Structure formats: structure tokens, C-alpha cells
């Protein structure tokens, strides 16, 4: 019998027959991001396989979000979720297979059967509290707990759907400054302080879910998502119909302030004390089927009682004890900048992201008070420029390159172009090596990286140029020389001022070494990492002499070196960083700082003894490598970002949509962000993102749309 097909957002011809090795038998449901199919493994195990819609599968932002969902689902796989069996987020049509859980969603059950009994509500609340406890222990905040994301299995509720929201178009991303969730089940801070959403937001959602299960309606109801948002932030919840013994506990979950809500462990303890009859009774729901099935007539929503001015019933008193004061609706709409679709999961944009607290530490202010932020589309007349600029800073000029632009000098005060030269190579949209100043000259890669050219930084005139097509890995300037690695594994050193060769030889014991420098006048060569060991050598760039060479056990990535120490991250086979190692070269001793939660494809920057690791899924972690303590962790939710840069007491990074983001390095608090700058690059592929450039009291950054811009570094909340 051929697989059943259902109509949806894709035509039948576009729907895949297989996801990896799994035959897709029946469609279970469809969402904004993909379709969920029933499938079977080779051994007959029933699976629920989510396949991303074809229209989204080639959009980098959505692939990034799907990778985030797969990683989160794998991390929390356990007794209270649908365990991940297999996944391929890099497939032509990304997919994820989880164990099929027979049973309806809570939304389906309430729609078909009405409100739950008190015993079943208590069992549901306990099961969801246990689920959130395990999810939060894994370092994940669900952010979209709602009745349709709760499956009612025979052994208790299961929480599903991690990391993918239901956008109305392909331009929405799960990133900093976006409100993520379904309005009736979102916590107040998801509207008013979206950068500070933590585990307590899931507890608020749990309270809303229980109200829905008890009454058929949420604690905040309106046909308008704007009004729902206002009610969530400012109004007391309507708890009419919630059983008396659960009333106070539900009201505590719905407290306006996150710190006033109970933790999942506290919820479970409170539920045990609520009733002596508390037990893990099995709830046996109706079985899920592939079809919609008959839908009974829609139930009438419970009426909200009319109350004279000043009158209160007990349920509202219970909620108001922890509620916030009422404010006017326009204040919320102006603060949140909502753009929502009623009934759908939304990702909503904030205008400029100016709601974070101001920083207590500032970078050096600009020398002149007349500085104004500026934007520049860096192009050369007649060129086919595309992609992001990359720049080096001097007080007199920003010296920048871009595909199609060999080099340009830009006034850092006002963004005016002082001089520019075109590149005869192809104006590719992908990465151009960043320019560097060495030997008094500006070194740039030209003609698709086949030549290395040295320019006068004042005029742009060529001083020397060399064919570097036989070298790989780019060029590394250090201490007045330029180092290049050849295909024969030999390292060549050129005088940065003249382009003449100074020395050329192999580094003993190393094949195709990667060369790096960390500002201490030493070149560090790292052999291609093996599973069991990593080789590192310190090289004098002037002579090529090896100062020291070490073998360090484990698959490591060198992230910093200075003053006789080197710092590494330990990297698993699936590219997760799970620890930071501080290596003392003289004593050959290692000091290990384990990460509580591994960071996927981490980019690391070091300031003093503190390492900051930014994962590809958006987590930013600070650890003290001397005390082995994790200082803080913040979820930026930026699924693709530049390498982080630290200046003073702030860390900066750029997002894939061109936003510049600032973080307080002392507290781990997001301070502010600029607006998005995608230009005409919406939906197109973006290469490696250039890191921001803090200098002279300003922050210079670039966007995938080709914009070079500068903002005042004193107060990121004003960006």
C-alpha cells in the first residue's frame, strides 16, 4: 500500500518518500517549519519524523534554527520528552526522527473531551514539573510550552518541539531581540525583557497550560494578540474554574516577576503536600491517529464574571497578590513592537533593542562630542561588490576590503571614503581575508586570494605584490614578517616591508600546520588535530627557530597564548567544546575547567584568565580558568554569529542579520543591540561573519548586506 498523502503547504510531488533510511508512511501533522510523518525503522520501531519544508531548507537562518532544535532535543532526551533516534540537519531536506509517542496532544484532548478532572490536573502538573526540571538541568529553556506541545502518553505527559517556532515568513529568526512563543502562554518577560528569558518563563507557561486544561481557556484570552500581550504583562490572570486545591499553586506560577515563581522542584514538593492522594496514577488517553477525525461542536468558552468596580472574587485576589500594576495598553505596544499573527507561534521583532539596562563600565568615549553614528555601503564605481567588508583600524582611517574592492580607506569620524581601489578578481559573496597592517604597509589578499599585495595605507598605492597561489591557509603577519604555509607543509616568511623571502622550512613533526598569533610577537603552529593528541609549537617569526614544541593529550583547539601559558578548548568528535585547558609550558601541567553544558562549535576569546565561549546555538559562557569556576551563562539565541571580541568590560558580537550586540562581561547581561541590516541579502547564503572592531570609543561593524557602520560605544542601550 503506498504511503498516505495529505494536502498541505507542499504539493504531493514535493513531499519526500524517505528521510535518510526511514520510509515516511503517514503524515501526522504540519507546522510553519515542516511536516511530521509517521515512519518505521528497519526493526519496526515507530518514529515521528519531522522534515523541514522545501521552501525553508535552503535558508541559512532556518537551517540554523533546526540545528538548534536537534541539539536541544538530543540534550533533553529522556523520560519526559520524545527521545531523538536519528537526525540529519545538513541533509537537502533537514529532518529529525524521534520515538513516536501514541496519545493526543493536550490541546486535542481538551478540545474533544473538555476540562480535566482535579486528579488528572494534579498528575499533569506534576508530570510537566518533572519534565521542566530535567529540561532545565540540561541547560535548555523551552520558551514555547503550550497545550499543543504536550503529548499525553500512557506513562505521563511528554514535552515536545524544541527550538522551532512557527514564523509567518522566511525572514524571521530565533535571535536576540525576537520574542519567541505563543502569546497566551508567554511570560511577561518574554514581551518586556526578551533578552532575560530564563527557566522561570517555562514555569509561567506551565501555569497557563494547567488553566487551559482545567477550563478550556487560558488565563489571558482575547481575539487580539496585542490585547493578550497587554493582559499577560499587566493584568491578573483569570483563574475561574481552577480547582481550589491547585488555585494558589497555579497563581504562584503566574506571578509577574520570575523570582516570585516556584521552581519545578518546589512545584513537585508543593503538589505532594497539597493532597495525601497525590500519586503517579497512569493517565490513559485516546490514541493518536494519522487523520483529523471527527471534531465535536466547539465548546463555549467559560464566561468571565461581571464585577462591579472594586469588587474581587477569590481567584483574582490570589493572582493579584503577586501581580503587577495595571498600565496603559499603548505603553506595552510601544515597548514590545509586536508583529504577530493570531493563533500562530510568533517571532516578533523589537525596534532597536533599547530595553536592556545601561552598562556600568564604558569604553573610552570619542575625543569629540559631535560624533554621530554613520552607515556606508562600501563599493567601488563599476565593480560588482557583494559580501561583507572587513576592516583594520588606525586613528586616521579604517582600512577595509570587500569582494570586488581591493582596499579602501574610510574616515572613522564620519564614514567618508578617503580612497579606494577595485579588485580585478571575481566579486564573490564569500569571505575575503581581513586586511592587516605590518611593516608600515597594508597587506591584502587580492584576485580571489591568489596574490598578496602590500599598499601604502595613506594613498592606496601598491608597494609590492606576490603570487601566493601555491600557499594555503591565508597569511599570518607577526613581528614584521608574513607567514604562509605551502602544500608541502613548509612555512615561508616574507619581509612585510619589502615582500622578500626571509626563510623557508618545515616545522619538525608537523604536517600542514595552522599558524596563529596572539599579539605577543610569537607565531604558534598547530598540527591538524588528531583524536588522541594535539601538537603545538612556538616559532620565532624572524628566524623560524622553534622555541618549544609540545604534545598535549586530547583533541584540542588552541584559543590563546601568552606569558608562558597556552589555552585550549577540548573538542569532542561532534565539535562540542566541553572544557577549557590552561597549559603551563614550563611545567607541562594542565589546569582544566569543565563547562557545565558543552558549547557547539564554540568561538572563544580570552581576557586575562577569563575565557568567553560563544556556541553556534547562541549560548555565551564565561569561565575563570584559574579558579575553574563558571562565572555566568547567557542565551543570546543567535544561531550564527561572528567571533566574540572583548574590549574593557564589554563583549561584542555580530549576528547573521547584521545586528551588533553588546554584553556586560562582569554580569553576563545583554546591554543592547543595533537594528538588523540585511539589505538585499535576505535569504541568501552568508559566509564567515567578521568580528566587530571596538576602537576609539566607537564600535565598527559590518553586515551581510555590505554595510559598514559605526556606533557610539558609550551606551549600547541607545543603539
Amino acid at each position: 500500500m503506498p504511503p498516505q498523502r495529505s494536502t498541505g503547504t507542499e504539493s504531493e510531488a514535493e513531499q519526500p518518500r524517505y528521510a535518510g533510511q526511514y520510509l515516511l508512511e503517514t503524515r501526522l501533522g504540519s507546522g510553519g517549519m515542516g511536516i511530521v510523518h509517521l515512519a518505521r525503522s528497519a526493526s519496526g520501531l515507530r518514529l515521528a519524523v519531522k522534515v523541514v519544508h522545501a521552501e525553508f531548507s535552503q535558508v541559512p537562518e532556518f537551517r540554523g534554527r533546526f540545528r538548534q532544535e536537534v541539539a536541544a532535543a538530543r540534550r533533553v532526551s529522556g523520560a519526559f520528552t520524545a527521545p531523538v533516534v536519528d537526525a540529519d540537519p545538513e541533509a537537502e531536506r533537514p529532518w529529525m526522527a524521534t520515538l513516536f509517542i501514541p496519545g493526543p496532544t493536550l490541546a486535542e484532548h481538551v478540545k474533544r473531551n473538555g476540562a480535566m478532572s482535579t486528579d488528572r490536573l494534579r498528575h499533569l502538573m506534576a508530570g510537566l514539573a518533572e519534565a521542566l526540571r530535567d529540561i532545565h538541568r540540561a541547560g535548555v529553556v523551552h520558551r514555547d510550552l503550550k497545550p499543543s506541545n504536550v503529548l499525553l502518553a500512557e506513562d505521563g505527559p511528554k514535552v515536545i518541539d524544541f527550538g522551532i517556532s512557527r514564523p509567518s515568513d522566511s525572514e524571521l529568526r530565533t535571535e536576540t531581540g525576537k520574542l519567541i512563543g505563543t502569546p497566551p502562554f508567554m511570560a511577561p518577560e518574554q514581551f518586556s525583557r526578551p533578552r532575560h528569558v530564563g527557566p522561570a518563563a517555562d514555569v509561567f507557561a506551565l501555569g497557563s497550560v494547567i488553566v487551559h486544561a482545567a477550563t478550556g481557556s487560558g488565563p489571558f484570552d482575547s481575539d487580539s494578540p496585542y490585547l493578550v500581550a497587554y493582559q499577560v504583562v499587566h493584568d491578573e490572570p483569570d483563574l475561574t474554574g481552577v480547582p481550589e486545591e491547585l488555585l494558589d499553586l497555579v497563581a504562584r506560577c503566574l506571578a509577574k516577576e520570575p523570582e516570585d515563581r516556584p521552581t519545578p522542584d518546589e512545584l513537585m514538593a508543593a503538589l505532594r503536600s497539597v493532597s495525601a492522594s497525590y500519586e503517579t496514577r497512569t493517565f490513559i488517553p485516546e490514541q493518536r491517529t494519522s487523520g483529523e477525525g471527527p471534531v465535536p461542536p466547539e465548546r463555549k468558552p467559560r464566561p468571565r464574571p461581571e464585577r462591579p468596580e472594586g469588587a474581587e472574587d477569590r481567584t483574582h485576589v490570589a493572582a493579584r497578590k503577586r501581580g503587577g500594576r495595571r498600565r496603559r495598553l499603548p505603553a506595552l505596544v510601544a515597548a514590545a513592537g509586536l508583529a504577530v499573527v493570531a493563533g500562530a507561534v510568533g517571532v516578533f521583532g523589537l525596534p532597536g533593542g533599547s530595553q536592556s539596562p545601561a552598562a556600568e563600565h564604558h569604553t573610552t568615549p570619542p575625543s569629540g562630542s559631535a560624533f554621530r553614528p554613520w552607515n556606508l555601503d562600501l563599493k567601488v564605481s563599476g565593480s560588482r561588490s557583494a559580501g561583507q567588508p572587513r576592516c583594520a583600524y588606525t586613528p586616521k582611517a579604517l582600512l577595509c576590503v570587500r569582494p570586488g574592492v581591493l582596499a579602501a580607506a574610510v574616515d572613522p569620524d564620519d564614514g567618508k571614503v578617503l580612497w579606494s581601489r577595485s579588485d580585478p578578481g571575481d566579486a564573490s559573496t564569500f569571505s575575503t581575508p581581513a586586511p592587516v597592517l605590518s611593516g608600515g604597509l597594508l597587506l591584502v589578499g587580492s584576485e580571489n586570494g591568489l596574490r598578496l599585495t602590500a599598499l601604502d595605507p595613506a594613498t592606496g598605492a601598491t608597494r609590492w605584490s606576490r603570487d601566493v597561489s601555491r600557499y594555503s591557509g591565508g597569511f599570518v603577519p607577526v613581528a614584521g614578517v608574513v607567514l604562509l604555509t605551502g602544500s608541502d607543509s613548509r612555512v615561508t616568511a616574507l619581509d612585510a616591508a619589502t615582500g622578500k623571502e626571509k626563510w623557508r622550512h618545515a616545522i619538525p613533526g608537523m604536517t600542514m600546520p595552522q599558524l596563529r598569533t596572539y599579539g605577543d610577537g610569537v607565531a604558534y603552529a598547530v598540527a591538524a588535530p588528531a583524536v588522541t593528541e594535539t601538537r603545538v609549537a612556538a616559532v620565532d617569526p624572524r628566524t623560524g627557530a622553534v622555541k618549544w614544541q609540545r604534545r598535549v593529550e586530547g583533541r584540542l583547539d588552541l584559543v590563546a597564548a601568552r606569558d608562558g601559558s597556552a589555552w585550549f578548548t577540548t573538542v569532542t568528535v561532534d565539535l562540542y567544546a566541553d572544557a577549557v585547558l590552561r597549559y603551563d609550558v614550563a611545567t607541562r601541567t594542565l589546569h582544566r575547567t569543565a563547562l557545565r553544558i558543552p558549547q557547539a562549535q564554540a568561538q572563544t576569546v580570552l581576557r586575562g584568565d577569563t575565557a568567553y565561549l560563544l556556541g553556534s546555538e547562541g549560548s555565551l559562557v564565561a569561565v575563570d580558568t584559574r579558579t575553574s569556576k563558571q562565572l555566568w551563562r547567557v542565551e543570546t539565541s543567535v544561531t550564527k554569529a561572528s567571533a566574540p571580541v572583548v574590549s574593557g568590560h564589554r563583549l561584542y558580537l555580530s549576528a547573521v542579520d547584521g545586528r551588533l550586540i553588546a554584553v556586560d562581561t562582569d554580569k553576563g547581561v545583554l546591554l543592547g543591540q543595533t537594528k538588523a541590516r540585511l539589505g538585499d541579502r535576505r535569504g541568501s547564503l552568508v559566509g564567515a561573519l567578521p568580528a566587530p572592531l571596538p576602537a576609539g570609543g566607537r564600535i565598527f561593524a559590518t553586515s551581510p548586506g555590505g554595510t559598514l557602520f559605526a556606533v557610539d560605544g558609550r551606551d549600547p542601550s541607545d543603539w
Side-chain angles (χ1 to χ4, degrees), residues 383-603:
S383 74
R384 296 179 291 115
S385 302
Q388 291 186 251
R390 285 165 163 74
C391 301
Y393 174 83
T394 73
K396 294 182 179 180
L398 281 171
L399 301 168
C400 304
V401 297
R402 183 185 180 186
V405 178
L406 177 65
V410 178
D411 190 321
D413 294 327
D414 56 19
K416 292 182 179 178
V417 177
L418 304 176
W419 58 258
S420 63
R421 289 184 55 183
S422 63
D423 184 354
D426 178 32
S428 168
T429 61
F430 292 97
S431 301
T432 297
V436 291
L437 286 164
S438 184
L441 299 177
L442 179 67
L443 304 179
V444 298
S446 61
E447 298 180 23
N448 302 323
L450 300 179
R451 298 196 68 81
L452 176 61
T453 302
L455 307 177
D456 185 326
T459 65
T462 299
R463 295 304 184 204
W464 58 263
S465 183
R466 283 192 60 142
D467 182 340
V468 293
S469 58
R470 61 193 179 98
Y471 300 100
S472 61
F475 54 92
V476 178
V478 53
V481 301
V482 182
L483 303 179
L484 305 103
T485 301
S487 56
D488 59 357
S489 295
R490 295 187 179 185
V491 177
T492 298
L494 305 179
D495 188 307
T498 65
K500 295 181 178 179
E501 185 175 310
K502 297 191 68 172
W503 55 265
R504 180 172 178 264
H505 58 69
I507 298 175
M510 289 198 172
T511 302
M512 295 301 296
Q514 301 173 10
L515 300 172
R516 305 175 187 181
T517 183
Y518 299 100
D520 59 355
V522 179
Y524 295 90
V526 182
V531 175
T532 58
E533 68 173 23
T534 301
R535 293 189 181 188
V536 181
V539 179
D540 185 333
R542 300 171 185 82
T543 64
V546 176
K547 295 185 173 184
W548 55 261
Q549 184 171 139
R550 298 286 187 271
R551 293 183 183 181
V552 186
E553 290 186 3
R555 184 187 178 95
L556 309 177
D557 182 23
L558 180 67
V559 296
R562 69 164 192 276
D563 303 329
S565 294
W567 286 262
F568 303 86
T569 55
T570 59
V571 183
T572 65
V573 292
D574 52 355
L575 302 182
Y576 275 77
D578 57 11
V580 180
L581 303 182
R582 188 176 187 274
Y583 179 74
D584 187 294
V585 175
T587 63
R588 304 193 181 198
T589 56
L590 280 172
H591 188 76
R592 188 176 189 271
T593 302
L595 301 183
R596 295 174 189 169
I597 301 171
Q599 294 284 83
Q601 301 176 20
Q603 301 185 88

Side-chain angles (χ1 to χ4, degrees), residues 35 40 43 85 152 163 168 191 230 237 254 257 280 349 354 371 398 412 421 450 531 572 592 627 643 660 688 716:
I35 296 176
R40 291 184 185 271
S43 63
V85 175
L152 300 178
S168 59
F191 294 104
Y230 175 75
L254 296 173
E257 297 301 326
T280 56
S354 61
F371 172 76
L398 281 171
R421 289 184 55 183
L450 300 179
V531 175
T572 65
R592 188 176 189 271
T627 64
L660 171 67

Side-chain angles (χ1 to χ4, degrees), residues 581-653:
L581 303 182
R582 188 176 187 274
Y583 179 74
D584 187 294
V585 175
T587 63
R588 304 193 181 198
T589 56
L590 280 172
H591 188 76
R592 188 176 189 271
T593 302
L595 301 183
R596 295 174 189 169
I597 301 171
Q599 294 284 83
Q601 301 176 20
Q603 301 185 88
T604 307
V605 63
L606 198 80
R607 186 192 68 177
D609 292 307
T610 303
Y612 303 89
L613 297 91
L614 176 64
S616 62
E617 299 164 4
S619 297
L620 178 62
V621 176
V623 297
D624 188 320
T625 61
R626 283 197 177 273
T627 64
S628 294
K629 292 183 178 179
Q630 181 169 308
L631 304 178
W632 49 259
R633 176 188 177 95
V634 63
E635 295 293 338
T636 70
S637 296
V638 179
T639 55
K640 181 177 181 180
S642 70
V645 174
V646 174
S647 178
H649 294 268
R650 294 200 186 133
L651 179 146
Y652 303 96
L653 59 98

Side-chain angles (χ1 to χ4, degrees), residues 191-192 222-235 325-338 340 355:
F191 294 104
S192 59
S222 172
D223 292 335
S224 166
Y226 295 94
L227 292 176
V228 170
Y230 175 75
Q231 292 168 357
V232 168
V233 175
H234 301 300
D235 283 0
R325 294 178 298 171
R326 290 179 179 267
R327 301 174 189 170
R328 293 185 179 181
L329 175 61
L332 171 69
V333 176
L338 295 178
V340 301
Q355 298 176 7

Side-chain angles (χ1 to χ4, degrees), residues 139-294:
V140 174
V141 179
H142 192 285
R143 301 190 185 196
D144 195 25
L145 182 66
K146 58 185 178 182
S148 60
N149 282 341
V150 176
L151 288 177
L152 300 178
E154 291 186 1
D155 57 346
K158 310 290 184 184
V159 176
I160 61 171
D161 202 355
F162 293 84
I164 286 188
S165 58
R166 295 180 58 171
S168 59
D169 62 71
S170 63
E171 296 175 8
L172 298 175
R173 283 165 294 279
T174 309
E175 297 178 352
T176 302
K178 299 290 189 287
L179 306 182
I180 306 168
T182 306
F185 301 94
M186 291 168 67
E189 61 268 24
Q190 287 180 275
F191 294 104
S192 59
R193 301 188 302 275
R195 300 184 191 88
H196 303 278
V197 173
D202 288 345
V203 174
F204 188 97
L206 184 152
S208 297
V209 166
I210 296 301
V211 175
H212 178 88
T215 69
S217 300
F220 307 98
D221 267 351
S222 172
D223 292 335
S224 166
Y226 295 94
L227 292 176
V228 170
Y230 175 75
Q231 292 168 357
V232 168
V233 175
H234 301 300
D235 283 0
E236 296 84 9
D238 183 355
L239 302 184
T240 306
V242 175
E244 183 78 14
E245 65 183 76
L246 299 178
L247 186 62
D248 186 65
L249 198 54
V250 171
R252 288 174 58 197
C253 292
L254 296 173
K256 299 299 183 188
E257 297 301 326
E259 59 270 20
D260 292 337
R261 299 171 204 149
T263 66
D265 280 323
E266 290 169 344
L267 273 177
M268 287 186 286
L271 284 167
R272 283 193 293 270
S273 65
V274 162
S275 172
S277 64
Y278 171 82
E279 60 183 63
T280 56
R281 182 183 307 168
T282 299
F283 172 74
I284 304 177
E286 58 193 300
Q287 298 298 299
R288 289 180 82 189
T289 64
S290 60
E292 293 285 336

